[in-house]
Amino acid sequence: MTFSSCSKEDPVPEKDQEEVGKTSLLLQEVEWDGDFSTGHAHAIDGAAIDTIQFDEQGNAPAGFHLHLHTGRSYKMTLIARDYAGREIQQTFLDRADIHQAVILGAPDGVMDYTYGDDQVGVTGYLHIVKSASTFTLQYLMRHLNPGVKAQVTPDDWNNANYQTKLAGATDLDLKFELHPVE
């Protein structure tokens, strides 16, 4: 029979502070002044907030379907929690040099996006340009390899070639059905 015990030199496994548990996206209509790249948002008093709560695999609830209206802009805010339920989205902002959101799935010309922070995408603005059939919108938070962010522009918000252009790993992969309507 042998016994084994931990010594002071045995390493203690460290929890990854970016290990994401439950996440939510909040969407609230705003007034947008100017063009999409240089304009700015104004809050609308009493505007409803649509909250999408995702499971740990990044899926919206079964049957979830969101309507957003053409010609309108929506502030989109990420709330991410770690394994213990603590909010961690500030970590993405504190490390803006290696994080960037990518939003995929919209048909060409249906929407535009403006980053509301240091080109990270914890906060941003969806602009619904025209109506379309329902599609699955995918929000990815990329953990970029060192030096990659310097080559990325705000126009890469929907870069389908993100695995090459935004080389790194995916911290979050959230999906929900969106229907842009008149």
Side-chain angles (χ1 to χ4, degrees):
M1 193 184 320
T2 61
F3 291 96
S4 156
S5 66
C6 295
S7 72
K8 286 189 173 199
E9 277 81 50
D10 288 341
V12 176
E14 183 179 315
K15 277 285 195 182
D16 181 357
Q17 296 304 305
E18 288 180 10
E19 184 178 323
V20 181
K22 301 260 181 181
T23 57
S24 302
L25 284 175
L26 286 63
L27 286 103
Q28 183 175 30
E29 186 178 352
V30 295
E31 290 286 334
W32 190 263
D33 289 336
D35 65 30
F36 298 143
S37 62
T38 61
H40 58 279
H42 299 280
I44 298 174
D45 289 339
I49 298 174
D50 290 306
T51 301
I52 309 165
Q53 300 213 6
F54 298 89
D55 63 20
E56 291 184 8
Q57 288 73 44
N59 299 309
F64 180 85
H65 181 90
L66 182 64
H67 288 120
L68 298 180
H69 298 274
T70 60
R72 298 186 187 173
S73 294
Y74 298 86
K75 180 179 180 181
M76 185 167 65
T77 305
L78 171 71
I79 305 295
R81 298 186 184 281
D82 69 6
Y83 62 93
R86 297 174 295 221
E87 288 191 18
I88 62 165
Q89 63 272 9
Q90 186 63 43
T91 302
F92 300 134
L93 294 170
D94 291 344
R95 300 177 71 197
D97 62 320
I98 59 169
H99 288 99
Q100 178 148 351
V102 182
I103 301 168
L104 303 170
D108 287 341
V110 168
M111 58 189 248
D112 204 339
Y113 181 79
T114 305
Y115 289 97
D117 45 35
D118 292 330
Q119 196 178 306
V120 175
V122 168
T123 301
Y125 300 92
L126 284 178
H127 311 287
I128 308 303
V129 177
K130 65 181 183 180
S131 62
S133 298
T134 300
F135 58 88
T136 299
L137 191 72
Q138 183 177 22
Y139 174 101
L140 299 168
M141 179 59 73
R142 296 289 290 168
H143 185 120
L144 306 174
N145 291 338
V148 170
K149 183 83 173 228
Q151 309 305 315
V152 179
T153 71
D155 291 334
D156 286 316
W157 68 269
N158 65 345
N159 191 329
N161 193 22
Y162 70 90
Q163 292 178 324
T164 302
K165 175 81 179 194
L166 288 90
T170 298
D171 284 335
L172 288 172
D173 185 351
L174 309 175
K175 297 178 182 95
F176 66 96
E177 284 192 8
L178 178 63
H179 187 187
V181 296
E182 290 294 327

